[in-house]
């Protein structure tokens, strides 16, 4: 079983719509959850992190965490063509173990 | 310079060459990492240095040799590589002891082994 699973996509969303990206993880001891955006040929860029159950909003981005279901998601409202990228979910497992485990990423395309 | 800088951006090397990748972080972080990113695979953690001590080595072949002379600099020495080692090599840094702290990545080195 993969530690962090994401649908690889591609996920196509019309401009202006809500893009919904999902991630599941296997380790119940996971403490912190991160979303990175990676443009083609570029390095990953941290856009959101969440550690408490519920929603966390930052501008057009909302991260949602449900530890009971071992599920984390990222919503992008009012999607723009510049949001087209691969989105990586990452999980930090224990206090003291600083390793981030990444999913394979979901490729998102916003259609003008 | 700010953030995490990696050099070179691109590298083409023969299987018998020796080269080094360099990473420097300007964030005052105390941990540094090497990741390998191949097409259609998750980021693969190669090495972790915390407070200049190597704390993790994920069964990486000995043709990859890391070096961390201080908390700001990280090197990856390469020798007798194979074509399957062609990938994007990413350096990252973080501040340990804070659960909600993610990594800051450098721009990466695109390595092609011919």
């Amino acid at each position: 079983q993969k530690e962090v699973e994401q649908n690889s996509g591609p996920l196509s969303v019309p401009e202006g719509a809500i893009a919904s990206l999902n991630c599941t993880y296997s380790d119940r001891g996971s403490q912190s959850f991160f979303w990175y955006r990676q443009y083609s040929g570029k390095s990953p860029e941290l856009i959101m992190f969440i550690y408490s159950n519920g929603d966390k909003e930052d501008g057009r981005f909302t991260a949602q965490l449900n530890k009971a279901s071992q599920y984390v998601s990222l919503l992008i409202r009012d999607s723009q063509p510049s949001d087209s990228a691969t989105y990586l979910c990452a999980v930090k497992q224990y206090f003291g173990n600083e390793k981030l485990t990444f999913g394979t990423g979901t490729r998102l395309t916003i259609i003008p | 310079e700010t953030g995490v800088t990696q050099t070179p951006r691109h590298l083409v090397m023969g299987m018998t060459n020796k080269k080094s990748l360099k990473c420097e972080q300007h964030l005052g972080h105390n941990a540094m990492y090497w990741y390998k990113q191949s097409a259609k695979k998750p980021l693969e953690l190669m090495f972790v240095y915390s407070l200049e001590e190597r704390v993790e080595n994920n069964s990486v072949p000995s043709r990859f040799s890391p070096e961390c002379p201080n908390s700001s600099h990280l090197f990856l020495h390469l020798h007798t590589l194979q074509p399957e080692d062609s990938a994007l090599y990413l350096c990252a840094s973080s501040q340990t002891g804070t659960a909600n702290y993610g990594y800051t990545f450098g721009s990466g080195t695109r390595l092609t082994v011919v």
Side-chain angles (χ1 to χ4, degrees):
Chain A
Q1 182 188 7
K2 292 181 185 176
E3 293 185 60
V4 180
E5 288 208 52
Q6 295 181 255
N7 186 324
S8 61
L11 174 65
S12 296
V13 172
E15 183 176 356
I18 296 175
S20 177
L21 304 162
N22 305 316
C23 173
T24 58
Y25 59 95
S26 60
D27 190 336
R28 286 196 172 273
S30 300
Q31 301 285 344
S32 309
F33 307 86
F34 303 83
W35 283 100
Y36 283 81
R37 178 177 61 200
Q38 187 174 23
Y39 292 114
S40 180
K42 303 294 186 183
S43 62
E45 170 194 12
L46 180 64
I47 54 172
M48 289 284 288
F49 76 88
I50 187 168
Y51 57 90
S52 298
N53 277 327
D55 295 0
K56 179 182 178 183
E57 187 174 320
D58 184 1
R60 295 187 296 112
F61 298 99
T62 299
Q64 299 176 317
L65 175 61
N66 183 326
K67 288 188 177 181
S69 301
Q70 295 176 244
Y71 176 91
V72 59
S73 65
L74 179 71
L75 301 178
I76 306 174
R77 289 183 301 282
D78 188 24
S79 297
Q80 303 296 310
S82 60
D83 296 325
S84 297
T86 296
Y87 289 81
L88 303 171
C89 173
V91 174
K92 185 180 282 191
Q93 275 138 339
Y94 308 101
F95 286 107
N97 178 345
E98 304 294 336
K99 185 176 74 172
L100 280 184
T101 301
F102 287 83
T104 53
T106 298
R107 187 155 56 92
L108 174 66
T109 300
I110 306 302
I111 304 168
Chain B
E1 295 271 18
T2 58
V4 180
T5 56
Q6 285 186 247
T7 55
R9 293 294 304 275
H10 300 274
L11 178 62
V12 179
M13 59 186 290
M15 293 168 61
T16 58
N17 291 158
K18 288 185 181 181
K19 296 285 184 183
S20 295
L21 310 185
K22 179 183 175 183
C23 176
E24 183 175 0
Q25 60 98 359
H26 311 271
L27 300 168
H29 290 164
N30 61 6
M32 298 185 77
Y33 312 82
W34 280 117
Y35 276 88
K36 175 184 179 182
Q37 189 174 38
S38 305
K40 304 206 186 294
K41 286 188 175 182
L43 282 165
E44 299 173 55
L45 179 63
M46 300 175 72
F47 301 104
V48 179
Y49 277 83
S50 180
L51 299 172
E52 301 160 38
E53 178 183 344
R54 189 192 310 180
V55 296
E56 187 155 344
N57 174 348
N58 276 344
S59 303
V60 179
S62 59
R63 56 186 184 269
F64 295 90
S65 174
E67 179 188 0
C68 186
N70 55 61
S71 60
S72 299
H73 293 86
L74 185 64
F75 296 89
L76 188 63
H77 304 299
L78 316 171
H79 65 97
T80 60
L81 294 189
Q82 304 299 310
E84 61 264 29
D85 297 322
S86 299
L88 180 66
Y89 288 84
L90 291 161
C91 173
S93 70
S94 74
Q95 185 63 26
T96 60
T98 49
N100 306 320
Y101 213 95
Y103 295 175
T104 301
F105 284 90
S107 53
T109 295
R110 173 69 63 183
L111 173 67
T112 303
V113 181
V114 297

